[in-house]
Amino acid sequence: MPSVDPLSSLLSGIRAEGSVVSHAVLTAPWVIGFADGAPLTMISVLRGGGTLMLHDGTEQVVGAGDTAIVSGTAPFRLADRSTTVHGSHAAYEISCFGAGAECGDQELGGIRWGACSEEATALIVGAYRASGHRHVRLLRALPPVLVIKEDAEVCAWLETAAVDAARSSAGSQALMDRLLDWALVCTLRNWFDRVGADAPSWYRGLADPVLAPALQAFHDRPAETWTVASLATRSGVSRALFAKRFTRLMGRPPLAYLTECRMDEAETLLTDTDLSIAQIGRSVGYADAFGFSAAFKRHRGLSPSTFRATAV
């Protein structure tokens, strides 16, 4: 069975679904409103630039080569500059998941695709629909907005691929969606690498040569009866050294981390599958439904059945 790292597991719950703007010709002054309520929005600036304005008043300048990821469902805006919103400007609205949305068309809200202009701000936008409980765990790891500078070669390749997809008819939307998924994974990996100590503990642990083998083994086989000693053996160090290093880097003891991961996975299975309580318990390392239910209620405050019934 192939290994599945935690980041891949988290990203598996989110997919681009037809929410794409490629080569939008935006001549200043302009303002784009994002009113999707999507939990995650990605904006890649291929040429030009602008200013992101979040719901809480935060502003973030983005330029050519920047990819911005905005998390949370609050509406926000992107303008050529922040002062533009107070004057006369061309206004556009991106609401690709709303009723009657036509985000796969060659024209979106009056924004033309694929035209050439020296003043153009060229964007690729992906608004990501949540497809399950797993996305919540990803959003907990992200700030309200993050911006990563991409290599010029990557931007040129992405722009070329976007143009080719937009010009094609058969399968063009599916191709663009997969391009956006690829760009999202690359951007998040780059961000996690750069934030260092501020990255989620599981990501820091996977970069540590001592902890990584044990963490990968656990995430590959969460149902196995893991102990601190067996995890230390996977890492090739003593139990005491492993426990000390794990607690220092991960911010909690090994078994506490294992339990939290199992509860996270159990929440996902309870909301996204029809598996029985006993089946879910076994898949996350509990021998029977009683033991799993007791552990879940102790850590989440609700029984598994109550959590499933009340989950939205």
Side-chain angles (χ1 to χ4, degrees):
M1 180 181 296
S3 296
V4 179
D5 62 89
L7 180 56
S8 295
S9 178
L10 290 180
L11 291 175
S12 68
I14 295 180
R15 289 287 186 273
E17 295 184 11
S19 183
V20 179
V21 179
S22 174
H23 270 221
V25 178
L26 302 169
T27 302
W30 53 266
V31 178
I32 304 176
F34 292 80
D36 273 313
L40 199 69
T41 303
M42 186 180 71
I43 303 169
S44 291
V45 184
L46 304 176
R47 288 177 282 120
T51 300
L52 278 169
M53 293 169 285
L54 303 188
H55 186 68
D56 64 0
T58 300
E59 295 185 0
Q60 174 72 56
V61 175
V62 291
D66 287 341
T67 292
I69 294 179
V70 181
S71 61
T73 58
F76 65 96
R77 292 178 290 185
L78 175 65
D80 62 295
R81 59 182 62 192
S82 58
T83 55
T84 293
V85 298
H86 304 297
S88 176
H89 60 267
Y92 308 99
E93 179 118 336
I94 307 298
S95 187
C96 296
F97 294 150
E102 297 180 348
C103 293
D105 288 349
Q106 290 288 72
E107 187 167 309
L108 174 61
I111 304 177
R112 290 179 294 113
W113 291 38
C116 296
S117 169
E118 291 184 359
E119 296 88 23
T121 290
L123 307 172
I124 292 180
V125 178
Y128 287 78
R129 188 196 308 272
S131 60
H133 185 79
R134 199 180 302 275
H135 80 278
V136 175
R137 290 152 60 185
L138 174 62
L139 296 182
R140 285 202 297 255
L142 300 179
V145 61
L146 63 91
V147 177
I148 289 291
K149 175 70 71 175
E150 304 288 0
D151 293 337
E153 291 183 0
V154 172
C155 291
W157 180 87
L158 185 59
E159 183 172 9
T160 299
V163 172
D164 289 343
R167 287 174 178 170
S168 303
S169 55
S172 60
Q173 190 60 63
L175 175 59
M176 184 63 72
D177 287 346
R178 299 295 73 77
L179 284 171
L180 287 170
D181 290 337
W182 172 85
L184 175 65
V185 172
C186 291
T187 299
L188 289 179
R189 286 187 63 183
N190 286 339
W191 180 76
F192 284 140
D193 284 341
R194 295 178 189 184
V195 296
D198 292 329
S201 59
W202 49 261
Y203 197 83
R204 298 197 307 271
L206 287 170
D208 181 78
V210 173
L211 301 188
L215 285 171
Q216 192 63 68
F218 166 69
H219 284 287
D220 286 345
R221 303 189 302 279
E224 193 165 318
T225 307
W226 294 105
T227 65
V228 176
S230 64
L231 290 170
T233 299
R234 298 289 302 187
S235 292
V237 297
S238 69
R239 181 184 183 281
L241 175 60
F242 178 82
K244 182 178 180 180
R245 189 181 186 94
F246 192 102
T247 302
R248 177 170 61 84
L249 291 180
M250 305 291 283
R252 70 193 85 175
L255 296 185
Y257 172 84
L258 265 59
T259 300
E260 186 65 25
C261 288
R262 283 168 168 157
M263 295 301 106
D264 282 342
E265 183 62 21
E267 285 187 355
T268 299
L269 295 174
L270 285 166
T271 55
D272 298 349
T273 75
D274 294 324
L275 294 174
S276 69
I277 302 299
Q279 288 173 317
I280 293 173
R282 287 193 296 272
S283 71
V284 296
Y286 292 86
D288 54 57
F290 178 79
F292 166 63
S293 296
F296 190 91
K297 187 172 184 178
R298 184 166 60 251
H299 290 276
R300 292 296 191 258
L302 296 171
S303 68
S305 56
T306 301
F307 176 87
R308 169 175 270 174
T310 58
V312 177

